[in-house]
Amino acid sequence: SGCEKCDAELVCQECYSGYTIQKHACDKCLQNCRTCGSSPTDCLSCYFMYELRNGACTIKREYVIGAVL
């Protein structure tokens, strides 16, 4: 699942956003990653309320209950 475009032999060539291609199949990016690079753990962009830090998506401080800003 997650494959957007296949070739004539039904081998995946392109994945939907939120997936990355691995050995002609689509693997889901880590939780909270909107897009990822060459591996599922390589986050490139994050969903709302999360920010990219060192290749991972972490919740923004302003959304943490009780956080001191």
Side-chain angles (χ1 to χ4, degrees):
S1 74
C3 188
E4 183 173 15
K5 184 178 178 183
C6 295
D7 66 12
E9 287 95 38
L10 299 178
V11 174
C12 190
Q13 300 296 310
E14 196 174 316
C15 302
Y16 287 109
S17 182
Y19 291 83
T20 185
I21 197 155
Q22 299 286 304
K23 297 180 184 176
H24 305 292
C26 296
D27 286 345
K28 188 157 178 53
C29 299
L30 280 181
Q31 184 178 2
N32 306 319
C33 292
R34 187 167 19 135
T35 58
C36 53
S38 59
S39 78
T41 59
D42 180 26
C43 296
L44 299 177
S45 65
C46 307
Y47 288 109
F48 177 74
M49 294 179 34
Y50 293 86
E51 61 187 349
L52 191 60
R53 285 192 185 171
N54 300 322
C57 294
T58 58
I59 194 161
K60 291 180 181 177
R61 285 184 55 144
E62 60 262 29
Y63 295 106
V64 176
I65 296 172
V68 177
L69 300 178

